[in-house]
Amino acid sequence: MGVLNDPSLGSLIANAKWPEDGNPGHTIKINLSFTLLNDQRTYIMAHEIGHTLGFRHTDWDQNGESISKFVPNSNSTSDGANLVPGTWSDDPLSIMNSASYNSFYPSWQDFSYTDYLAIRTTYPLSLSEKPLYTYQTVSTGGGNYTTDFSVYEYSNNGMIYKGWGGYIYDTQVSGSIPIYKYYSPLSTWYVISTDPGIHINFPGWEFVEILGYAFSSSGPNRIPIYEFYNPSKGFYHSSNFNEDQALGTGWVNNGIKFYTMELL
Ligand SMILES: [Zn+2]
């Protein structure tokens, strides 16, 4: 990759080439006629490298950019702005916001949590890893989970997307155990568990699927997943120890049930 000084950029501080033919963009141009703080320089370079990897502005819509803008090797107007599954188009802390939108631009310190999800979803550490996407069932207030974002998207089939609880695996990796998903047609509750026999031992529960594989013990880069229970709403699993406060009254923290890989 080449990094060039280009004062002819005028009011632009920098720009970058999009990926082409399966490779990252090959050039970043910097307008050295701007005087910037060190933190701003770091922000600009991280941001431009993001463009060379194919990331558009998180705030492209708020920033008034057209969908088709910047699409390389394409005349299409329909495929130029793809939201990375599980991320949001409004994230004030995102490195990929246009400079005017990022409130941390003058003193940028780190990628946002959603930036990390976007990067790792586009360029996974392992093809077997999947985010544990977390949903809340509108009708009951209880939780539901999938590793396939296309199932419920942001709000499909009575589910509201709430975020993700680390990563689990499609295939069993060393030290991991299955995470089973169950459904109760009577209560319309979902639950996930390391117990393989809930549908055998508890009347009314049906086995749905093995959601993936996670860990039964703590370890490097692992985060705990807590189970919350509400007798009138069901179960909810979260990496947030204080999730019961966000869920409202009547929830009890049943403690750590398994561990997932953290997002970093
Ligand atoms: Zn940009």
Side-chain angles (χ1 to χ4, degrees):
M1 179 194 295
V3 180
L4 310 172
N5 174 24
D6 186 357
S8 74
L9 289 173
S11 63
L12 270 185
I13 298 174
N15 72 10
K17 286 285 188 187
W18 293 100
E20 250 179 279
D21 303 324
N23 295 313
H26 53 69
T27 307
I28 292 174
K29 290 181 177 175
I30 308 287
N31 187 348
L32 292 181
S33 56
F34 281 86
T35 304
L36 300 174
L37 303 171
N38 277 341
D39 286 347
Q40 291 174 317
R41 291 172 176 158
T42 308
Y43 173 92
I44 293 289
M45 285 308 294
H47 178 101
E48 298 304 329
I49 290 169
H51 284 319
T52 71
L53 296 176
F55 295 113
R56 281 192 61 162
H57 287 158
T58 304
D59 65 329
W60 69 274
D61 198 11
Q62 301 95 313
N63 200 37
E65 299 167 16
S66 73
I67 285 180
S68 60
K69 193 180 180 185
F70 306 138
V71 181
N73 305 326
S74 170
N75 294 318
S76 170
T77 56
S78 62
D79 62 357
N82 304 298
L83 198 55
V84 177
T87 68
W88 288 275
S89 59
D90 189 352
D91 174 6
L93 305 183
S94 174
I95 184 65
M96 291 316 297
N97 283 317
S98 56
S100 56
Y101 186 69
N102 191 299
S103 55
F104 281 67
Y105 167 60
S107 57
W108 183 69
Q109 298 296 320
D110 199 356
F111 301 101
S112 76
Y113 208 59
T114 310
D115 286 336
Y116 280 112
L117 181 68
I119 294 165
R120 192 157 163 180
T121 299
T122 312
Y123 301 98
L125 290 182
S126 147
L127 291 179
S128 172
E129 69 175 22
K130 297 287 182 297
L132 182 64
Y133 298 112
T134 303
Y135 290 82
Q136 191 165 25
T137 308
V138 174
S139 59
T140 66
N144 187 15
Y145 313 86
T146 180
T147 59
D148 179 356
F149 195 76
S150 69
V151 174
Y152 304 119
E153 296 276 344
Y154 290 90
S155 58
N156 269 356
N157 296 322
M159 300 293 160
I160 297 293
Y161 176 56
K162 302 297 283 186
W164 59 96
Y167 283 75
I168 64 176
Y169 296 92
D170 268 352
T171 52
Q172 195 155 19
V173 301
S174 177
S176 68
I177 54 171
I179 303 298
Y180 303 92
K181 177 172 164 176
Y182 299 97
Y183 177 65
S184 165
L186 187 63
S187 63
T188 68
W189 293 358
Y190 290 89
V191 69
I192 54 176
S193 174
T194 58
D195 181 346
I198 285 185
H199 58 311
I200 296 167
N201 298 319
F202 296 90
W205 285 93
E206 295 175 353
F207 170 77
V208 177
E209 62 176 340
I210 292 179
L211 198 60
Y213 298 85
F215 301 95
S216 57
S217 58
S218 60
N221 303 321
R222 295 177 192 174
I223 54 171
I225 299 296
Y226 300 91
E227 180 183 276
F228 301 89
Y229 175 67
N230 182 323
S232 63
K233 295 184 174 179
F235 295 90
Y236 197 98
H237 288 73
S238 172
S239 58
N240 178 9
F241 176 77
N242 293 317
E243 192 72 55
D244 50 335
Q245 292 171 20
L247 289 168
T249 56
W251 290 89
V252 175
N253 188 335
N254 281 344
I256 297 170
K257 294 300 173 180
F258 57 91
Y259 295 80
T260 61
M261 297 302 289
E262 69 175 342
L263 170 73
L264 284 179

